[in-house]
Amino acid sequence: MQERKATSTVNKLRLKSAQYLDQHEGAVGLGLIGYHLWLMLAALAFLWNRSFLFGHFARLASLADGVRFPWPLRGFEASDSSYRMVIDLALGSTLIFSALAIAFRKAGYWIQFVLKFIPWLAFFFVATPQLSFGLDGGFHVAKVLGVFVMLASPNPGNEHRRLLAAFALLSIQVQVCFLYLSAFFHKVTGVQWQNGTALYYVFQNLDLVDAWLGNLLARAGVWIVVCSYLALSFQLLFPFFIWNEGLRRTLLWAGVAFHSSTALMMKIWFFSSILLVSYLFFLRKPEIEALRVRWRELRQTLSK
């Protein structure tokens, strides 16, 4: 009797996982492309700003003075050629294997896993730990999501892997929901968020906002209060109503507006962009098909 119940439970899980993957057909592949493009752009950003990272007058060299770097960089100075070589290898591996992960996203499950694991390991455990004082929260979000991105697959294969892929997809979605909930509960305990003035103080921080923009926004008192409460409302509502078929698109578009505006006004590019990438994993068949139609129309327009 117990064996039958266990078998029945397993069969139900397999059926549910297959249905869940079918509902999000195309979303995993699109999410994998977005995630690895984000990794490549982040790696390129570090490579592009080499004067910031290396050399006798590099800012990193002075900031890193006396810092004990974790393995495998312990004992190296920021301007040391050995340090530079290891960082170069890590960022280069991130670029190459992220591109391969995109190109071979429909390959066998374990080939995909290896191609996704190498850039994740190289970027988050070799390159960025040494540069943690120059990163925003987006890198931590990407690091956590990357664990489940490695397990997700647009072509999982057998039933066991489909179950694992469905778990990974759901885990990415739940992680985003927890992020919004924790942000809401952290903010709502602050007096400035309760009275709606929090954004005023954000706009006065010249490390985040340009002076002219901060002065302009600081004069719009009503707008600041409204936007403060809208931000709180969005972060509270998203985790509960994103699962609703009728509200999902509205919340996703609201999130696009929210994170695009914070990226432009507060310069938190990596955090905003990885959250936008995470939305790709929430898409379902109708949205994916609409995107495919738009893409075909764009290609036809460009080919004329």
Side-chain angles (χ1 to χ4, degrees):
M1 188 67 178
Q2 290 180 345
E3 289 181 0
R4 288 182 180 179
K5 286 184 178 180
T7 303
S8 176
T9 301
V10 171
N11 289 334
K12 286 180 180 179
L13 281 174
R14 288 175 178 171
L15 179 61
K16 288 288 185 182
S17 65
Q19 291 174 344
Y20 200 69
L21 289 175
D22 184 60
Q23 289 172 356
H24 295 84
E25 182 182 353
V28 174
L30 200 58
L32 294 180
I33 293 173
Y35 181 84
H36 286 96
L37 283 176
W38 184 93
L39 271 182
M40 292 173 71
L41 289 173
L44 283 172
F46 285 127
L47 286 170
W48 184 262
N49 292 284
R50 300 183 69 77
S51 60
F52 175 86
L53 298 177
F54 301 112
H56 182 66
F57 297 104
R59 184 180 170 192
L60 182 60
S62 60
L63 288 173
D65 186 28
V67 173
R68 291 188 63 193
F69 294 111
W71 180 92
L73 304 176
R74 185 171 292 133
F76 292 129
E77 294 296 331
S79 57
D80 193 292
S81 61
S82 301
Y83 179 95
R84 178 171 180 165
M85 181 183 68
V86 174
I87 291 291
D88 281 354
L89 285 173
L91 296 177
S93 298
T94 301
L95 288 168
I96 293 169
F97 284 94
S98 290
L100 290 174
I102 293 173
F104 294 96
R105 63 187 179 278
K106 293 185 179 180
Y109 184 85
W110 291 112
I111 294 176
Q112 289 180 53
F113 181 87
V114 171
L115 292 176
K116 289 181 284 188
F117 176 73
I118 292 174
W120 179 78
L121 180 69
F123 190 72
F124 293 112
F125 289 89
V126 179
T128 58
Q130 284 62 247
L131 312 171
S132 58
F133 37 74
L135 311 178
D136 66 30
F139 290 86
H140 180 69
V141 174
K143 180 180 178 180
V144 174
L145 293 183
V147 175
F148 303 106
V149 169
M150 286 186 284
L151 298 175
S153 172
N155 184 31
N158 62 41
E159 292 182 350
H160 299 294
R161 291 172 186 168
R162 282 201 296 270
L163 183 62
L164 186 60
F167 165 76
L169 175 60
L170 181 61
S171 297
I172 292 170
Q173 297 167 342
V174 170
Q175 284 288 330
V176 175
C177 291
F178 274 135
L179 185 150
Y180 283 135
L181 270 182
S182 61
F184 168 79
F185 285 116
H186 179 74
K187 289 176 180 176
V188 80
T189 57
V191 175
Q192 287 83 10
W193 282 102
Q194 292 174 12
N195 60 31
T197 61
L199 289 182
Y200 170 82
Y201 298 101
V202 172
F203 294 145
Q204 299 308 299
N205 187 338
L206 298 182
D207 289 332
L208 297 175
V209 182
D210 291 328
W212 69 270
L213 182 60
N215 292 331
L216 178 66
L217 296 173
R219 295 183 188 135
V222 175
W223 183 86
I224 283 177
V225 173
V226 170
C227 286
S228 295
Y229 289 137
L230 282 176
L232 285 175
S233 300
F234 170 75
Q235 291 177 331
L236 176 63
L237 295 175
F238 186 98
F240 297 104
F241 293 100
I242 192 62
W243 315 103
N244 182 280
E245 186 66 26
L247 296 174
R248 189 180 67 258
R249 291 189 187 185
T250 301
L251 284 170
L252 289 175
W253 280 116
V256 169
F258 174 63
H259 289 295
S260 299
S261 61
T262 55
L264 291 171
M265 290 191 293
M266 299 173 60
K267 305 175 188 175
I268 46 176
W269 308 104
F270 292 112
F271 178 79
S272 299
S273 56
I274 193 60
L275 264 296
L276 292 175
V277 166
S278 73
Y279 288 176
L280 297 173
F281 292 98
F282 285 92
L283 298 179
R284 295 192 179 183
K285 272 186 177 180
E287 291 91 4
I288 296 292
E289 188 56 38
L291 287 173
R292 285 172 178 165
V293 171
R294 294 288 178 86
W295 175 245
R296 285 195 293 266
E297 290 175 351
L298 179 62
R299 289 179 64 183
Q300 290 173 0
T301 303
L302 293 174
S303 63
K304 290 181 180 178

